[in-house]
Amino acid sequence: DVVARHESLRTVFGEDDGGVPFQRILPVERVVAELPVEVVDAGDDTAMDVVAEAAGHCFDLSVEIPVRATLVRCGENQHILVLVLHHIAGDGGSLAPLARDVAVAYAARVAGEVPGWVPLPVQYADYT
């Protein structure tokens, strides 16, 4: 839901044959179908190792969207969500809106609904 809402989270960055950089916003359908959300089982003694490994992910922005999610399952009712966001798609100022949108989407999906947010009036590419 959040990746579909924010084009910057669906953007890859390539280079043409002449070495000129470009950005390409991927279609929602493609990204959602291919979205990498890894689920890893870990006990109390290994959970932080899994978190550290997930946080150390190196992006290949020419083919990979700039956000990655790992769900660490520590127990039946205990999970850690690790979101790794490349700095090209977000900074300190964008973390609060990202967290808010993740929370809204999570609450909606837990209730069996889709998030009821208003479409964004402007996307990041509109500024750049």
Side-chain angles (χ1 to χ4, degrees):
D1 293 320
V2 176
V3 170
R5 179 172 169 77
H6 296 279
E7 289 178 350
S8 62
L9 301 179
R10 293 185 278 116
T11 301
V12 294
F13 301 85
E15 209 175 85
D16 68 15
D17 293 338
V20 177
F22 65 87
Q23 66 179 13
R24 183 179 52 214
I25 300 169
L26 301 177
V28 172
E29 301 78 24
R30 175 178 166 192
V31 173
V32 170
E34 300 173 6
L35 190 63
V37 178
E38 185 177 9
V39 178
V40 179
D41 289 313
D44 289 340
D45 56 335
T46 60
M48 288 300 108
D49 293 334
V50 174
V51 169
E53 183 177 337
H57 178 75
C58 292
F59 291 93
D60 178 352
L61 296 175
S62 66
V63 295
E64 188 177 9
I65 62 172
V67 64
R68 184 174 176 88
T70 302
L71 185 67
V72 183
R73 189 172 23 223
C74 303
E76 186 176 326
N77 295 312
Q78 184 179 12
H79 299 78
I80 301 168
L81 176 63
V82 182
L83 287 178
V84 180
L85 179 67
H86 192 284
H87 191 54
I88 202 167
D91 59 15
S94 59
L95 294 181
L98 175 64
R100 181 193 63 233
D101 284 356
V102 168
V104 167
Y106 179 78
R109 292 300 178 170
V110 166
E113 301 170 1
V114 296
W117 44 48
V118 177
L120 295 171
V122 180
Q123 291 284 344
Y124 187 73
D126 297 324
Y127 292 109
T128 60

